[in-house]
Structure formats: structure tokens, C-alpha cells
Amino acid sequence: MNSYHLPPSRPVARPVSRRARLARRILGLTAGAAVLALAALTAIAPAPSMPQDEPALANSTLAGQADEQVLDLPAGVTQASVARDSFATVAGVQGLAAGSTNRDWAELVLLLGDFPRTDDNVTVMLRWMRQENGPDNWWNRNNPLNNGWGSGGNSGLGSYDTLVIAAENAAEALHSNPGYAGIVAGFSSSAPTAQIEQAIWASPWATSHYANGAHWSYTPVPIIESPPGTW
């Protein structure tokens, strides 16, 4: 009896359902989107890391106004000192009082009167003070210009508790009496000494008007300190 070998049977392919085809399509789209997202992430370069020998400054915050910044330094980081140009400071009331000379008092009147402290203005003040009190006793009664304004004395013979108070009253008197307007204008504009001095002679500051300059001295005024306690 002849035997026949039948070829192995193949599985019969079943038709793919519509639901399965839809699931495969969704899976394919999802995989494609994931690949594109991964490519986009790898295209962004990572931020460069800070070198190890340069410590980072952290916690920089704005405080107060917009142009003021507060910066907290990490532990171990010290603030470097910054060399700045030196600025010449103008001596204030305390600095001039500490000098305690007749020049200091002349500058103090100019300072309190809001006048420029130029050499010409100081020179006129020193000459004016010499006409009222001699250089060796310029602090007499703490009233170097024999000013009656606020001193409690007539004809400028009053006194002040300190030379600082005397300077305040002298500056106030110049600005308060219209008869001194020419003096104020001369000091304010740093006019030539002759112009300011003529304004002083023409003013009612001294009843003698300094003989219209005949009694005015132009020799250099010596710089002398006042005794302790006068300022």
C-alpha cells in the first residue's frame, strides 16, 4: 500500500479586524511623536557648568528700591576692598570750629551765609574783622564784627556765648537788612575785593563808614587762634 506524505498544514490567516487596524495606527502615531520629542530635547544644548575654581554667587535679591541690590555671598567668600579716588572735603562748622583761628571764623560766616569761600571773599572778611577788632583780640566778646544783631548790645557792643553763634548772627544780619544787599551781592558773586569793600563802607554796618575806606588797611592779616572755650 503506497503511503503518501501530506505537506504540513499551514495555519489559515484570519482577516484583521477593523479595531485591530485602528489600534496599530494609534500605536504607530504615538511612537512617532515620542521620537520627534526626543529629537527636540537632544537639540537643546545644556547650560555650561561653572568652573570649579570660580565659586558661584547665590541668592541675589532685590531689596528696597530698584537700583539697590542685596547680594548674599557663600560661606568662605570675602568681599574685596575697592580703592577709590580721594575727594577733598570741605570743612563744615565743626571742622572750622576745631581750627579756631580768625580765618576759620571768616570762612564760617561765609559758609553760614551761603557765600563762596574764595580767597577774595576770605580776604575781605579778615580785613573787615581787623577794622572792628585788632588781630590780637579778634574774638573780643565773641563778636569779631561787633554785630548788634542778636548780641543784646547797642552799636555792636554786645556779646555772644560762642563764636559759632556769632557767625550765625553775622550771616543772618547780612541777609536780613536791606542796607547790606550790596555786601551780599558782592560775596555771592565772588566780586573783586575792592567792590565788596566799597559795599561795606557804603552800608549802615558802621556809622563811620570806615571813612569811606580811608581807615581801611590792606596789609596781610596774621592768622591767630582764639583762646579755648570761645567756640
Side-chain angles (χ1 to χ4, degrees):
M1 180 177 182
N2 295 330
S3 60
Y4 296 93
H5 297 280
L6 296 176
S9 60
R10 297 180 180 178
V12 179
R14 297 181 180 179
V16 180
S17 66
R18 181 179 180 183
R19 179 177 299 177
R21 288 197 302 271
L22 182 59
R24 290 177 182 178
R25 182 175 299 177
I26 294 175
L27 182 60
L29 293 175
T30 303
V35 172
L36 291 176
L38 180 61
L41 289 175
T42 56
I44 300 175
S49 59
M50 184 173 292
Q52 295 298 322
D53 57 347
E54 297 182 4
L57 297 178
N59 299 330
S60 177
T61 58
L62 292 177
Q65 299 180 353
D67 58 348
E68 183 179 355
Q69 193 173 39
V70 177
L71 189 64
D72 296 330
L73 298 179
V77 178
T78 59
Q79 182 178 1
S81 60
V82 180
R84 300 182 183 276
D85 295 334
S86 60
F87 295 92
T89 57
V90 180
V93 174
Q94 293 181 348
L96 293 172
S100 70
T101 67
N102 48 347
R103 181 185 177 92
D104 293 316
W105 194 84
E107 288 197 40
L108 184 56
V109 175
L110 295 173
L111 172 66
L112 297 175
D114 199 23
F115 303 127
R117 284 185 280 175
T118 61
D119 288 340
D120 283 351
N121 281 358
V122 173
T123 296
V124 172
M125 284 294 305
L126 287 172
R127 291 174 180 173
W128 192 5
M129 293 161 60
R130 178 171 57 187
Q131 297 302 127
E132 293 292 341
N133 291 299
D136 295 337
N137 191 30
W138 65 267
W139 60 86
N140 185 30
R141 302 187 319 281
N142 285 340
N143 193 356
L145 283 178
N146 288 328
N147 176 29
W149 187 277
S151 64
N154 295 327
S155 301
L157 298 179
S159 63
Y160 298 99
D161 291 338
T162 66
L163 287 170
V164 174
I165 297 176
E168 293 173 349
N169 279 269
E172 184 177 353
L174 287 173
H175 284 286
S176 300
N177 191 328
Y180 306 145
I183 304 174
V184 171
F187 279 137
S188 298
S189 62
S190 298
T193 57
Q195 178 179 332
I196 305 174
E197 289 165 343
Q198 288 174 0
I200 294 173
W201 307 337
S203 76
W205 191 278
T207 55
S208 67
H209 297 281
Y210 306 102
N212 292 322
H215 298 164
W216 202 262
S217 176
Y218 296 95
T219 59
V221 179
I223 305 303
I224 300 175
E225 294 184 3
S226 64
T230 53
W231 289 80

